[in-house]
Amino acid sequence: RVVLAKDLDRLGEGRGTLELLKLVDGSDGDAAQKAMLALSEVTGEPPTSSPPFWRAWWKEHAERYRMPDR
């Protein structure tokens, strides 16, 4: 799931980043750890497994991932 989310993020639509955030927020152990590392890689933020940090990050940066209206 982490690899797929990273690939989705490369499409530039934010879907992958949102999926990684969900994994950090709703998973335990290895999946959450891998998602956190992937988020750090994708966003340039320092690695942290803190769901509140990532929720706040998404709240601040989500707009850049929204698809333009057609």
Side-chain angles (χ1 to χ4, degrees), residues 37-55:
L37 291 173
L39 274 171
S40 179
E41 180 182 323
V42 167
T43 65
E45 295 292 335
T48 179
S49 57
S50 167
F53 170 84
W54 288 113
R55 282 192 296 268

Side-chain angles (χ1 to χ4, degrees), residues 7-18:
D7 287 342
L8 280 171
D9 192 70
R10 288 187 191 108
L11 295 175
E13 298 175 6
R15 291 180 295 180
T17 303
L18 185 55

Side-chain angles (χ1 to χ4, degrees), residues 10-69:
R10 288 187 191 108
L11 295 175
E13 298 175 6
R15 291 180 295 180
T17 303
L18 185 55
E19 287 304 311
L20 289 170
L21 289 164
K22 289 177 184 176
L23 282 170
V24 167
D25 206 15
S27 299
D28 293 324
D30 194 47
Q33 182 71 14
K34 287 179 181 175
M36 178 271 303
L37 291 173
L39 274 171
S40 179
E41 180 182 323
V42 167
T43 65
E45 295 292 335
T48 179
S49 57
S50 167
F53 170 84
W54 288 113
R55 282 192 296 268
W57 181 90
W58 181 253
K59 191 174 186 177
E60 183 177 335
H61 297 292
E63 188 62 37
R64 81 175 200 155
Y65 292 101
R66 295 221 167 88
M67 296 293 291
D69 293 332

